[in-house]
């Protein structure tokens, strides 16, 4: 009994078009002038063949290194630079990044809170996590700009005085609206019932223990356009990278970090407090549920 042989398999494509095989992409004569380019394919990968200003030929993958959008949409032409239409990252004819809009885009207030954490002290990565969220990526970014929901949605914050509406809180918004900063100073006062008896008690005190590291606020959430949420909550430090995965889902990649020269006890405290913000954290899980597309 015979079976049909598939015309192409994933292994074939990897071996022939992404392996150590020569692939035809065109004739040098098709690019007679400096700056001439044409778009073609190596297997299923869109590439740009271009003659640079020094008369050399380059083959570039037709994807921006920022978010993966196509850089070149024309079949052929002449240019001095390739510019991604998504966020206008600019690349020279060799494929090197040469320009980023808003490269110096954080105003002094927001930059202060960024620089006080990333001050030049060597960092150490404590953990990395990622998870899929059934939510449009824009909702995730906007959630970090919302000053109200933390004191309403997140019961843990309310119950243990981490982020409450009766605390000192302020919001800074970059003039364009692209970036934002939410700063809160915790009271550590548990929410009280009418008879002043604490509603709940916390056995694992490490979750809210705090060693003063920075002035002005015990929590700062920075949303840096378009896909970064930078969190400093108590002693937990984290970068949250929002990665697109279609229109109704995104991937949140977490990097929890500290400093190479910090005491081990402080590192342990950061790891304990990551239980508030990690994918299944006592706070993050609220956002995951409320923002999910159902």
């Amino acid at each position: 009994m015979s079976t049909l042989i598939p015309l192409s398999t994933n292994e074939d494509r990897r071996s022939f078009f992404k392996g150590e095989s020569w692939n035809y992409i065109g004739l040098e004569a098709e690019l007679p002038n400096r700056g001439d380019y044409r778009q073609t394919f190596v297997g299923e990968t869109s590439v740009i063949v271009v003659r640079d200003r020094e008369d050399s030929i380059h083959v570039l993958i037709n994807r921006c290194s920022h978010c993966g959008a196509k850089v070149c949409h024309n079949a052929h032409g002449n240019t001095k630079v390739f510019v991604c239409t998504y966020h206008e990252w600019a690349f020279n004819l060799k494929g090197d990044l040469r320009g980023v809009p808003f490269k110096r885009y954080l105003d002094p207030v927001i930059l202060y809170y960024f620089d006080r954490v990333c001050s030049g002290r060597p960092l150490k990565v404590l953990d990395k996590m990622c998870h899929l969220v059934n939510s449009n990526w824009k909702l995730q970014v906007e959630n970090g700009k919302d000053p109200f929901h933390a004191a309403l949605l997140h019961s843990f914050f309310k119950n243990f005085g981490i982020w409450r509406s009766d605390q000192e809180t302020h919001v800074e918004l970059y003039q364009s609206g692209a970036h934002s900063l939410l700063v809160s100073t915790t009271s550590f006062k548990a929410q009280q019932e009418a008879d002043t008896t604490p509603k709940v008690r916390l056995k694992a005190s490490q979750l809210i223990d705090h060693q003063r590291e920075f002035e002005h606020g015990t929590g700062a959430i920075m949303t840096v356009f378009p896909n970064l949420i930078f969190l400093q909550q108590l002693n937990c430090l984290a970068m949250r990278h929002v990665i697109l995965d279609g229109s109704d889902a995104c991937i949140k990649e977490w990097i929890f970090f500290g400093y190479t020269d910090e005491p081990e006890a402080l590192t342990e405290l950061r790891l304990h407090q990551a239980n508030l913000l990690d994918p299944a954290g006592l706070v993050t899980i609220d956002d995951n549920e409320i923002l999910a597309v159902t």
Side-chain angles (χ1 to χ4, degrees):
M1 181 177 180
S2 63
T3 58
L4 292 175
I5 299 174
L7 293 176
S8 178
T9 65
N10 289 333
E11 185 176 351
D12 290 338
R13 291 194 288 270
R14 284 194 299 270
S15 298
F16 301 148
F17 302 113
K18 295 183 179 180
E20 298 180 358
S21 296
W22 286 99
N23 282 270
Y24 173 81
I25 48 93
L27 299 174
E28 184 176 348
E30 295 179 270
L31 309 172
N33 304 309
R34 296 176 182 182
D36 284 352
Y37 68 86
R38 66 183 298 267
Q39 186 184 168
T40 184
F41 289 85
V42 173
E44 298 169 322
T45 303
S46 174
V47 298
I48 308 166
V49 188
V50 59
R51 186 184 292 273
D52 70 12
R53 296 300 163 188
E54 288 74 42
D55 228 20
S56 297
I57 303 293
H58 300 274
V59 181
L60 314 173
I61 294 178
N62 189 14
R63 293 289 177 183
C64 179
S65 55
H66 180 208
C67 288
K70 288 186 73 172
V71 172
C72 179
H73 295 273
N74 298 325
H76 56 82
N78 184 280
T79 188
K80 295 180 179 178
V81 65
F82 292 107
V83 180
C84 176
T85 55
Y86 191 12
H87 296 112
E88 295 191 359
W89 281 33
F91 301 86
N92 67 16
L93 302 184
K94 293 181 173 65
D96 301 320
L97 180 64
R98 283 294 177 261
V100 177
F102 314 118
K103 185 176 182 180
R104 308 184 190 282
Y105 56 82
L106 297 181
D107 67 15
V109 174
I110 296 177
L111 188 61
Y112 164 79
Y113 284 90
F114 192 95
D115 283 348
R116 73 178 187 173
V117 176
C118 298
S119 60
R121 290 174 65 188
L123 304 181
K124 63 178 179 181
V125 174
L126 305 182
D127 207 347
K128 291 183 179 181
M129 303 179 186
C130 66
H131 60 125
L132 178 70
V133 183
N134 294 317
S135 168
N136 182 277
W137 68 277
K138 294 179 181 178
L139 294 177
Q140 294 293 328
V141 175
E142 288 299 315
N143 184 64
K145 295 174 177 286
D146 181 357
F148 302 108
H149 85 280
L152 300 171
L153 172 66
H154 298 310
S155 297
F156 188 93
F157 277 168
K158 288 187 294 183
N159 288 333
F160 298 105
I162 307 303
W163 197 298
R164 295 246 308 264
S165 56
D166 58 352
Q167 294 173 177
E168 179 185 343
T169 304
H170 72 274
V171 180
E172 298 286 347
L173 190 65
Y174 186 65
Q175 58 186 359
S176 70
H179 321 298
S180 66
L181 171 70
L182 309 180
V183 182
S184 180
T185 302
T186 185
S187 66
F188 295 107
K189 293 180 180 178
Q191 192 173 44
Q192 304 290 311
E193 298 283 14
D195 62 0
T196 71
T197 301
K199 186 177 180 181
V200 291
R201 298 181 184 277
L202 185 65
K203 290 185 176 180
S205 63
Q206 305 97 322
L207 290 174
I208 62 172
D209 285 346
H210 179 243
Q211 293 186 26
R212 171 68 75 175
E213 294 187 83
F214 313 108
E215 297 298 324
H216 312 299
T218 55
I221 301 175
M222 287 162 277
T223 302
V224 182
F225 179 85
N227 60 355
L228 173 66
I229 302 172
F230 183 11
L231 299 106
Q232 174 248 312
Q233 186 64 61
L234 302 178
N235 293 109
C236 185
L237 304 175
M239 297 288 189
R240 184 167 70 183
H241 181 197
V242 181
I243 303 170
L244 285 66
D245 189 30
S247 60
D248 292 329
C250 64
I251 296 169
K252 287 197 289 190
E253 180 184 65
W254 297 81
I255 298 180
F256 294 92
F257 64 93
Y259 303 103
T260 57
D261 60 354
E262 70 187 18
E264 188 61 30
L266 182 53
T267 298
E268 289 296 321
L269 191 58
R270 297 194 201 282
L271 289 170
H272 279 295
Q273 293 173 5
N275 287 286
L276 301 178
L277 300 174
D278 67 21
L282 295 166
V283 175
T284 301
I285 200 168
D286 297 335
D287 292 325
N288 294 345
E289 181 69 23
I290 205 69
L291 294 176
V293 177
T294 57

